[in-house]
Amino acid sequence: MVLIFVIILSISISAQDFKSEVENYFNQKLKGYDKIEISFLNDITQYNYKIDESRELKLKGGTAYLPVKYSDRNKSANSILTIQLKLYKLVPVAAREIKKKERIDENSFTLQSVDVASLKYHETALAVNLNSVRAKSSIREGQIITNDLVEEIPVIQSGSRIVAECIKGSVMISTEAVARQDGKIDDVIDILTTSNELLKARVVNSQKVLIE
């Protein structure tokens, strides 16, 4: 009975040691997170596992496939352990519902440490600069604000009164017009002139366009 207890205790300690080894491994491999949590989907008490650093770690969303070696009757074999990951990072989260085309300001979001592992391509998806941007589509309260949900605020907005210039050789003609589309600098938008002509023009700044 004592021998069985000792064996079970030894297995438990070995599994705990391996879990600590894996936690350290992920902390070294995956930088820039506030906290990393792991959950094994395999029974790690079955064998004596060691991380095999000669093979590549594979990540897919919140799942990691960890290459390992394990001992079985004095023989070593290769295997893969499946691990569920939670990757916590300080990210902007909508503090309220943000409507489409609404400007995002400091009252629109809070910074929270949340699990971002399930976000597709989260390293590039997370919005890091929320200056001069607006919601591209409606954003729910509590939703992580990612780059695909925001867009740069256009310098000209549909309905704005602008000056449209047309250059013919050394002659420049200017006229008043109304923007029929939003536009950032260098965008080509539709404009309606005072003579009711619908033309294409390139945005120069917030007040002027150049007729194409």
Side-chain angles (χ1 to χ4, degrees):
M1 187 69 178
V2 173
L3 180 59
I4 294 174
F5 175 76
V6 170
I7 292 172
I8 293 173
L9 182 61
S10 175
I11 291 172
S12 176
I13 292 172
S14 177
Q16 284 298 321
D17 288 345
F18 178 65
K19 183 180 179 181
S20 296
E21 181 186 346
V22 172
E23 287 173 345
N24 291 334
Y25 174 82
F26 279 113
N27 283 323
Q28 291 172 3
K29 284 283 185 181
L30 306 176
K31 302 287 189 181
Y33 296 100
D34 303 331
K35 183 174 64 171
I36 298 174
E37 290 182 358
I38 66 171
S39 178
F40 290 93
L41 301 184
N42 307 88
D43 181 6
I44 61 171
T45 64
Q46 189 175 4
Y47 299 109
N48 182 23
Y49 288 106
K50 288 290 180 185
I51 298 171
D52 183 1
E53 298 203 36
S54 66
R55 290 185 290 151
E56 184 182 358
L57 169 71
K58 294 187 183 299
L59 299 174
K60 187 174 182 181
T63 305
Y65 300 94
L66 178 68
V68 294
K69 290 183 179 293
Y70 69 92
S71 301
D72 183 23
R73 296 180 183 178
N74 298 322
K75 292 182 180 178
S76 181
N78 292 333
S79 186
I80 298 288
L81 292 182
T82 306
I83 297 172
Q84 202 72 44
L85 286 178
K86 287 188 176 181
L87 306 173
Y88 290 89
K89 197 167 191 174
L90 200 65
V91 297
V93 175
R96 55 176 175 77
E97 181 185 0
I98 305 171
K99 295 179 180 178
K100 183 177 180 180
K101 293 192 176 182
E102 183 182 346
R103 186 187 181 102
I104 294 177
D105 59 27
E106 60 183 11
N107 297 316
S108 305
F109 66 93
T110 60
L111 293 176
Q112 299 178 27
S113 184
V114 299
D115 176 22
V116 298
S118 61
L119 291 179
K120 191 173 183 181
Y121 310 121
H122 65 264
E123 290 293 345
T124 54
L126 295 172
V128 293
N129 185 359
L130 294 179
N131 293 323
S132 301
V133 297
R134 68 182 185 180
K136 189 186 295 185
S137 58
S138 179
I139 302 174
R140 302 185 312 274
E141 180 180 349
Q143 188 173 1
I144 297 173
I145 301 176
T146 53
N147 282 323
D148 62 319
L149 295 177
V150 299
E151 62 185 1
E152 184 183 339
I153 294 175
V155 296
I156 289 177
Q157 298 191 29
S158 180
S160 300
R161 290 195 168 275
I162 50 176
V163 174
E165 293 182 347
C166 179
I167 299 174
K168 297 287 186 181
S170 59
V171 178
M172 184 185 74
I173 303 170
S174 66
T175 183
E176 288 188 354
V178 176
R180 296 295 298 271
Q181 291 176 291
D182 293 346
K184 301 187 288 292
I185 291 174
D186 283 336
D187 282 353
V188 175
I189 63 171
D190 290 337
I191 63 167
L192 187 66
T193 67
T194 52
S195 58
N196 239 19
E197 288 182 278
L198 187 63
L199 302 173
K200 296 282 187 185
R202 186 173 299 278
V203 177
V204 176
N205 55 41
S206 62
Q207 297 177 327
K208 185 169 69 176
V209 296
L210 187 63
I211 295 173
E212 295 278 273

